[in-house]
Amino acid sequence: MSTESPERKHRRGRRRNDRSHMSMLGRITTQAFNFDQSFQPYRSNDFAWNFFQDPCVKNNLKVLDSSGSWTLLGRDITHVNVEVVPCTKVSVDIFDPIYSNGILRPSGHIVKCYHEVIPDFDELRMLLLEEDSDNYHIISPSDRQEFLFRLFKHMVLGGELCQYEDVIDPYTETTKMMYKDLVSVQKDPHTKEISVVTTILKVSAHDHGGLCYPSATDNEQTFAYLCIDPFKRHVYVLYHSFGIGDFSGN
C-alpha cells in the first residue's frame, strides 16, 4: 500500500455552510491509498485484513482518539469485521419517493412532526429511523442497504450537536457530490449501459484490547468505508467518528 492525496476535497461542509454537515466537521475525513495487486470482490475479507496489516496503513490511517484528537492507527489488528455494502446506483432515482409522500412541502421544506422522545423531529428522520412510521416502507429494504442511501442517511443524521436542515437540498446535493467522488463507473462499449465498478466495504477492526477502529465505542454514525476501485487500484477510506464537530468554520 502507498498513500496519495485525494484529488477532491472530502471535508464536507467547508464548501457550504450547511448546519447538519458542520456538525461532522473535524470528525470526518477521506484518505486515499494505492495498492499494487489485483482485487477480486469475492476476496473482500482478505483485502480488508491485508489492508489493516499493511505498514503503510498502520503508519498513515487517521483515527480520532477518545479526546477528539486525530492520531494514527499505529497498532496491531487482530480481527477485522467486513460488510460488503451494495453499490449499484448510477442515478439518484432512489430519492424519488421522498418527494411524493408528504415528507416535503412543494418548496422542498421538510415537514415537521411529533416524536415522543426526540424534540424538533421531522418526517425525513421519521422515514430514516422509525420502522413503524407510515413512510418507512416507501424505501425498499434493498435500497436502504445501498451505499448511496447510506451516505444520505449519514448526512441527515449528522454529528452529536446536529442542527438539522429545514430543506432537503443540502442533504441530497452533498450526498450526490460525495457519491460521485467516491464511486467509479464504466460504460459498456456494446450496450452503452453504465455500471458501478467500485466495491464498498464497511469495516471495523479489533486489537488485543477489543474494538479500536473506527472507534472503541459503537454508534450508527461512527463508520469507516473502504471504497475500492479495482482498475485504478486505489481505495478511498471514508471515516467519521460520532461526537461534537467543529462549528468554527475554519
Side-chain angles (χ1 to χ4, degrees):
M1 289 281 178
S2 61
T3 60
E4 65 174 6
S5 299
E7 297 174 358
R8 310 168 182 89
K9 295 181 180 179
H10 295 281
R11 293 176 63 83
R12 299 305 169 188
R14 295 194 185 275
R15 293 183 180 179
R16 54 198 305 162
N17 192 27
D18 299 337
R19 295 172 297 175
S20 60
H21 312 145
M22 291 291 288
S23 70
M24 301 173 84
L25 278 179
R27 305 190 69 88
I28 188 168
T29 188
T30 299
Q31 290 182 265
F33 294 86
N34 292 320
F35 56 94
D36 57 9
Q37 297 182 6
S38 62
F39 169 77
Q40 301 296 334
Y42 72 89
R43 299 194 64 188
S44 292
N45 284 13
D46 291 338
F47 181 91
W49 170 256
N50 291 331
F51 177 81
F52 282 102
Q53 300 305 311
D54 190 276
C56 180
V57 172
K58 290 183 182 181
N59 295 327
N60 290 279
L61 187 64
K62 295 180 180 178
V63 61
L64 278 173
D65 63 20
S66 58
S67 67
S69 299
W70 287 102
T71 184
L72 300 177
L73 181 64
R75 62 185 73 199
D76 294 328
I77 298 301
T78 60
H79 177 71
V80 179
N81 297 314
V82 181
E83 177 190 358
V84 180
V85 177
C87 186
T88 65
K89 301 299 180 181
V90 294
S91 75
V92 293
D93 295 348
I94 194 173
F95 300 133
D96 287 353
I98 297 175
Y99 289 83
S100 57
N101 286 276
I103 297 167
L104 306 176
R105 303 192 187 283
S107 61
H109 282 73
I110 302 166
V111 175
K112 301 293 184 180
C113 66
Y114 171 76
H115 192 278
E116 293 181 351
V117 179
I118 306 174
D120 191 31
F121 211 57
D122 58 55
E123 291 288 353
L124 181 58
R125 281 182 286 160
M126 185 75 80
L127 161 73
L128 296 175
L129 297 172
E130 302 292 337
E131 293 187 24
D132 59 352
S133 68
D134 292 339
N135 285 321
Y136 190 86
H137 70 281
I138 67 174
I139 305 295
S140 69
S142 60
D143 280 350
R144 284 180 177 273
Q145 294 302 310
E146 282 280 340
F147 184 54
L148 177 60
F149 193 82
R150 292 190 190 207
L151 280 180
F152 175 71
K153 184 177 181 179
H154 287 317
M155 292 302 103
V156 174
L157 297 183
E160 187 171 346
L161 296 180
C162 188
Q163 301 176 26
Y164 296 101
E165 298 293 334
D166 297 320
V167 295
I168 196 169
D169 286 352
Y171 296 134
T172 54
E173 291 303 314
T174 302
T175 300
K176 288 189 289 186
M177 185 166 53
M178 293 181 70
Y179 192 74
K180 183 178 180 181
D181 284 356
L182 295 170
V183 173
S184 299
V185 299
Q186 68 177 5
K187 179 184 288 188
D188 187 294
H190 303 293
T191 65
K192 306 302 182 183
E193 290 185 355
I194 297 175
S195 61
V196 173
V197 298
T198 298
T199 294
I200 307 293
L201 307 180
K202 185 177 183 181
V203 296
S204 60
H206 298 246
D207 63 9
H208 292 287
L211 181 66
C212 65
Y213 183 87
S215 171
T217 304
D218 191 33
N219 186 283
E220 184 176 12
Q221 283 295 91
T222 294
F223 53 81
Y225 294 100
L226 305 185
C227 309
I228 306 162
D229 186 320
F231 300 113
K232 296 179 181 178
R233 292 189 176 181
H234 68 221
V235 51
Y236 287 128
V237 184
L238 175 64
Y239 172 98
H240 177 250
S241 180
F242 182 74
I244 299 175
D246 177 9
F247 287 86
S248 66
N250 295 325

